[in-house]
Every structure is written in structure tokens, then in C-alpha cells.
Amino acid sequence: MRLPERVTIYEVGPRDGLQNEQSVLPTRHKAEFVRRLLAAGLPVVEATSFVHPRWVPQLADAELLMKELGEAGEDCPVLVPNERGLDRALELGVRHIAIFGSATETFAQKNLNRSLDEQFAMFEPTVRRARDAGLDVRAYVSMCFGDPWEGDVPVDQVVTVGKRLFDLGASQLSLGDTIGVGTANQVTALVEAFVAAGMSLDQLALHFHDTYGQALANAYAGLQAGITTFDASAGGLGGCPYAKSATGNLATEDLVWLLTGLGIEHGVDLDALVATSAWMAGLLGRPSPSAVVRALAN
Ligand code: HMG
Ligand code: MG
């Protein structure tokens, strides 16, 4: 089995991490977080969300943050659920957006206030206009490995919804284990199912949450399946406020440790990253859930 030589880490800490925190950080701390992550060598840092501020008050300062970041934020992707969110992002010169759909009916309702089918009517004009404006679009599909309300989610259903989201005009599809219940065999099967449905490995990314401690094992299964983009969150922050039992993402430090050990290039300065997560844990007032941060932070 040949592992990839190089992996792209798609950092979601400032978005997935901070959207789930009880405390709302001042914008200047969020901006410093993004800057430090970029300086630590992370090639992609998802900065914030242009969702409804009442739905995610933690990220209600999206405009302010992007202004504060200025040029540094130009290549940072942001979440955009609909045309209203796109208008807000376009006004700030954002170049990369991510839409986020659900593989299940219940989570579509809870997270987007739309049915599974209705979510496409919301995303279709959003992606079309984004592409017309020259933006790059990523698509997430959530609840790929299990749903807290519906239980097991059939692989066929995940593939159908995921392909439909991707085919709206995305350059990449990120497969989300939103509540962290998946295991390595499921990762292998899902990647194989998407490839059998005509998607190439470089069009797929994996997005793990670590609720059941499976995220790193699942990432390894993804590497073995040939995936080269992995979402991760500095310090293991994260979760979704609209998904029961969603906890932190795969910690970027834990992923970096694994990749380094396997001899896979990632371009990240682990010391700078750990220092950033330790600083953030101090601001949030609790220790980082990342094992590697706890082991290395002074
Ligand atoms: P809605 O209430 O159905 O919105 O929410 P609407 O379309 O009916 O509009 C109602 C009002 O909201 C209107 O204002 C709109 O203009 C305004 P009015 O005309 O009444 O004055 N509005 C907005 N304002 C600012 N920004 C906007 C916006 N949209 C509408 N973008 C909506 C629908 C999608 C907006 C809402 O459900 C929402 O914001 N949901 C976001 C939930 C969320 O952010 N969840 C977390 C991210 S997903 C995640 O974490 C999973 C992921 O990590 C992958 C994984 O782990 O699986 C990505
Ligand atoms: Mg997530």
C-alpha cells in the first residue's frame, strides 16, 4: 500500500473551532489566530462564516474579521450558505467560499432550515453566481458516517447528495463525520463508493470530528485510500452547534505528528502551531483537547 507523498491540511480552527465555543472572542484575537496559523505554514485557513449572525453569534463579526485581516485573508475560504451570504462575502473581495449541505433530512432542517431537496435550491444560484464572479467553491457534505437523529446513513445516500453538491460547480467535496462516529472501515468504503461514482481522489477531502477518538485512525484509513486533503482544527477545537454530540475536530497537531512520522510532507511548523494552540487555549480558558498540544506545550 503506497501512502501519498504530500498532503494538504485544510485548517478549520477559526471557523469550525470557534463557531462552537461558548465565549465569543474579540475580533482582533480571531485575526491573530488566522495570521499565526498562516505563519505556521498552513496552506489553507478557513477564516469564518457568512451565515445568519443569529444562527452562529460566535462568528457574527465575519465582516470585521475579513477587514481586519486585509490582504492576509484574501485567500482564506469562508462558509457561505446562500445568496445573502455570498453578497456579503463578495463585498469584501473573498475569493474562496464553501457551501455546506447535509446528507440527511433531519440535519438539513436543523442546520439550514431547509429540507434535503430544498438545500439544493438554496445552493444552486449561490454557486452559479460565485463561479460567474470567478470564485472557487468547496462543498461540504455533513453526516456522512452517521446522524444523531437518523442513525446509520446509507452510503448510496451520501454519494448521491455529495455528488449533487459537487456537481453544482465545486472544485472539492469534503466528506464530514460531523458527530465523529465513523470508523476506519467506513472511511475506506465511502471513498471507494465516491470513486466508483466517478469522482477522483484529488476532488475529495475528509473532515473528521473526534467524538469517539477515531479521527486519527480514520485519517490513516483515508491516507491508505489515497486521499491527499484533510481538514483539521488547531488544538482540536470544534463542533457544530446544530448537531447533538458534535465535539472537536481532528486536531491539526495530531495529524501533523502522524504525517511527519509517516514521512509525508505537510509544510507545517509544529512548534509554531502548538504555541498558537496553547495561546488559544489560554484565551478560551481550558486545556487543548489535542494530545500532541498537551504533550508539547510548555
Ligand atoms: P433562514 O432563517 O431560513 O433564512 O435561515 P431565510 O433565507 O428565511 O432569511 C431570513 C432572514 O435572514 C432574511 O432577513 C435574510 O436576509 C437573512 P429579513 O429579510 O427577514 O430581514 N439572512 C441572512 N443574513 C445574513 N447572512 C446570511 C443570511 N441568510 C439569510 N447568510 C440560513 C437559513 C441558511 C441562513 C440559516 O439556517 C443559517 O445561517 N444556518 C447556518 C448554520 C451553521 O452555520 N452551522 C454550522 C456550520 S456547518 C458545520 O459546522 C458542518 C461542517 O463543519 C462539516 C461537518 O462537520 O460535517 C461544515
Ligand atoms: Mg465540522
Side-chain angles (χ1 to χ4, degrees):
M1 192 146 329
R2 273 197 62 197
L3 296 173
E5 280 172 20
R6 193 177 171 84
V7 150
T8 300
I9 302 179
Y10 183 106
E11 170 63 45
V12 296
R15 194 279 303 169
D16 208 337
L18 297 185
Q19 77 181 7
N20 206 41
E21 285 299 321
Q22 287 194 335
S23 49
V24 180
L25 288 184
T27 309
R28 69 175 196 288
H29 287 152
K30 294 178 180 175
E32 188 175 346
F33 191 29
V34 172
R35 278 199 210 97
R36 287 179 70 158
L37 291 168
L38 289 166
L42 284 152
V44 190
V45 179
E46 195 171 76
T48 185
S49 290
F50 287 85
V51 297
H52 197 298
R54 267 201 313 273
W55 281 63
V56 183
Q58 291 90 336
L59 305 182
D61 62 348
E63 270 87 358
L64 276 178
L65 175 64
M66 295 314 284
K67 279 184 190 152
E68 176 133 356
L69 281 171
E71 258 179 52
E74 269 177 7
D75 286 322
C76 292
V78 300
L79 285 200
V80 161
N82 54 14
E83 289 190 87
R84 175 80 185 94
L86 178 66
D87 289 337
R88 293 171 56 202
L90 285 173
E91 216 157 281
L92 290 151
V94 163
R95 294 205 284 249
H96 300 262
I97 65 161
I99 57 164
F100 48 103
S102 170
T104 67
E105 183 64 47
T106 316
F107 188 60
Q109 296 283 0
K110 302 249 181 216
N111 199 45
L112 297 167
N113 199 25
R114 298 289 182 279
S115 70
L116 187 66
D117 263 339
E118 284 166 355
Q119 68 181 340
F120 293 102
M122 184 167 78
F123 294 136
E124 193 277 325
T126 310
V127 175
R128 185 169 22 85
R129 283 187 45 215
R131 294 301 306 274
D132 287 349
L135 271 58
D136 170 65
V137 179
R138 169 184 241 227
Y140 284 98
V141 55
S142 286
M143 300 299 175
C144 294
F145 298 86
D147 172 287
W149 301 277
E150 299 185 19
D152 292 344
V153 184
V155 167
D156 285 358
Q157 184 176 325
V158 177
V159 172
T160 304
V161 175
K163 276 263 308 165
R164 209 172 146 191
L165 287 165
F166 179 77
D167 288 342
L168 291 174
S171 58
Q172 188 169 63
L173 179 69
S174 177
L175 311 177
D177 185 3
T178 320
I179 55 167
V181 290
T183 50
N185 56 320
Q186 284 179 279
V187 174
T188 312
L190 193 63
V191 170
E192 282 173 359
F194 271 101
V195 171
M199 287 193 63
S200 60
L201 290 167
D202 63 352
Q203 291 170 331
L204 295 169
L206 291 170
H207 178 105
F208 296 122
H209 287 260
D210 201 29
T211 319
Y212 287 79
Q214 302 300 303
L216 203 54
N218 289 343
Y220 189 60
L223 288 168
Q224 287 185 317
I227 296 290
T228 54
T229 302
F230 291 84
D231 301 0
S233 166
L237 301 172
C240 177
Y242 294 99
K244 271 194 288 179
S245 68
T247 61
N249 288 72
L250 167 62
T252 314
E253 291 83 354
D254 299 12
L255 177 62
V256 164
W257 189 267
L258 173 70
L259 295 174
T260 303
L262 293 171
I264 298 174
E265 274 179 57
H266 49 72
V268 178
D269 175 342
L270 182 60
D271 290 341
L273 181 59
V274 167
T276 301
S277 292
W279 163 76
M280 182 48 65
L283 290 179
L284 295 171
R286 57 189 167 72
S288 163
S290 158
V292 172
V293 173
R294 287 198 308 272
L296 295 181
N298 299 317

